[in-house]
Amino acid sequence: MSFTKSRSSRRNFLLGAAPAVAGGLALSGIARGAFEQTASSAMGKAGAANEKIWSNEYWAQKGDVKLYMFRKRMGAPQAGKAALPVLFLVHGSSISSTSFDLTVPGRGEYSLMDTFARDGFDVWTMDFEGYGKSSRTEGNSNIADGVEDLKAAIPVVARETGQQRFHVFGESSGALRAGAFAMAHPEVIDRLVLAAFTYTGEGSPTLTDRAKQVEFYRTHNRRPRDRDMIRSIFTRDKPGTSDPAAGEALADAELKFGNDIPTGTYLDMTTNLPIVDPLKVHSPVLIVRGEFDGIATEVDLINFYRKLPYADRQFVILPGAAHALSWGINRQQFWHVMRAFLEMPPRLDGGQAG
């Protein structure tokens, strides 16, 4: 069976099953909400067949700091139509949110936003303080600052979508931001995806090397970020796991915003780990690690995973992948495991038959 046919069959099943399940099962409040979101996603996919991807820009305000936000979904929002499930993407240390909407001419799909918009999600992202189009300040935009940035974004997303709970995805230091935000605001998190994440940093070759510059991070709020540095994201762990053309495209997109970026997340990752306490993450969690990722060892991540309080959790290692999961040659595998986790059918109460 082809991948396209498989997805089509799953969509038809969800659409056909929705009325029967809704009418025949007395779901708990949480399960009902999860079911409605799953059904909404399925209907969003079906209704999007003849629609184009719609996008819009927004601004959140954090004191005097303006934070740029960007959104993509299939078709413009319309009054009276069911809201789509929200997926919020959190970027990492050396790049802005433009990385989630990357175009690599002649090399296939690289936009995470377009991919999940087509899958029926209302996809949002933002530039953290000091990155991309957001205000450039004298601060170093550390993990705690990122949590405050995300707090400022909540009212904008809630107002525009009508949704009070969101799926949140974070990659690299963005996973630390997302995890710290989930600890601070569990009421907002639906399902949490942590990719290229690190827990204690023990045994990490990437962080060991990065720690050689710790005094610079302590004494400077911004660090150099040139084309070679961006290329290194794709090559430092295992050359060949990413297409060099993707690194060049990302550098072209990012260097429009300048050749330096904040040091805060690098300082946190070399001196302040662990930042995310697994016992305080009260949501379903997916942890995705590339086979060759040097930011964290498998043992480090398993130690985090085992402490998570929710039974609804998954740990996935993707073969042939490194740190740059979103832009790797095998990025479709990453999309697949993330999609499957976000579309997990709701758990039913004991004794209920399917």
Side-chain angles (χ1 to χ4, degrees), residues 1-2 22 30 43 85 128 152 169 176 191 197 215 243 246 254 260 269 279 290 292 307 316 325 340 342 352:
M1 182 179 291
S2 70
I30 294 177
M43 289 186 285
F128 287 99
F169 162 82
L176 290 172
R191 302 181 80 80
F197 177 66
E215 288 308 314
D243 186 338
E254 282 294 323
D260 64 355
M269 294 173 81
L279 297 176
F292 302 109
K307 295 175 183 177
V316 176
L325 289 169
L342 295 181
Q352 292 178 337

Side-chain angles (χ1 to χ4, degrees), residues 182-331:
M183 289 195 303
H185 293 279
E187 75 282 357
V188 175
I189 306 296
D190 193 342
R191 302 181 80 80
L192 178 66
V193 181
L194 304 177
F197 177 66
T198 188
Y199 178 30
T200 69
E202 183 176 355
S204 164
T206 297
L207 296 183
T208 298
D209 184 66
R210 193 173 293 173
K212 297 173 183 177
Q213 302 295 320
V214 69
E215 288 308 314
F216 179 87
Y217 308 143
R218 284 194 173 110
T219 56
H220 296 75
N221 282 348
R222 297 187 73 86
R223 60 183 171 90
R225 191 272 314 258
D226 59 11
R227 183 173 292 272
D228 283 342
M229 189 276 140
I230 295 173
R231 287 170 175 157
S232 74
I233 299 171
F234 296 78
T235 60
R236 71 187 183 211
D237 297 319
K238 184 73 171 179
T241 54
S242 300
D243 186 338
E248 297 304 319
L250 183 58
D252 289 341
E254 282 294 323
L255 292 175
K256 294 176 183 177
F257 302 120
N259 59 4
D260 64 355
I261 40 162
T263 57
T265 56
Y266 267 30
L267 182 61
D268 279 338
M269 294 173 81
T270 53
T271 64
N272 294 325
L273 293 177
I275 289 171
V276 181
D277 182 349
L279 297 176
K280 296 180 180 178
V281 178
H282 297 288
S283 66
V285 177
L286 166 65
I287 299 172
V288 188
R289 179 184 187 271
E291 177 186 5
F292 302 109
D293 191 359
I295 202 74
T297 66
E298 184 177 326
V299 171
D300 191 41
L301 295 181
I302 288 176
N303 286 338
F304 180 89
Y305 172 80
R306 292 177 64 184
K307 295 175 183 177
L308 289 167
Y310 266 53
D312 189 350
R313 55 184 177 168
Q314 297 180 29
F315 182 89
V316 176
I317 296 176
L318 292 179
H323 189 67
L325 289 169
S326 295
W327 318 293
I329 290 173
N330 292 306
R331 60 195 178 280

Side-chain angles (χ1 to χ4, degrees), residues 69 86-90 124-126 150 153 157 166-169:
M69 302 178 65
V86 173
L87 172 61
F88 200 105
L89 309 177
V90 184
W124 289 71
T125 189
M126 72 182 301
L150 290 168
V157 179
F166 323 133
H167 301 311
V168 177
F169 162 82

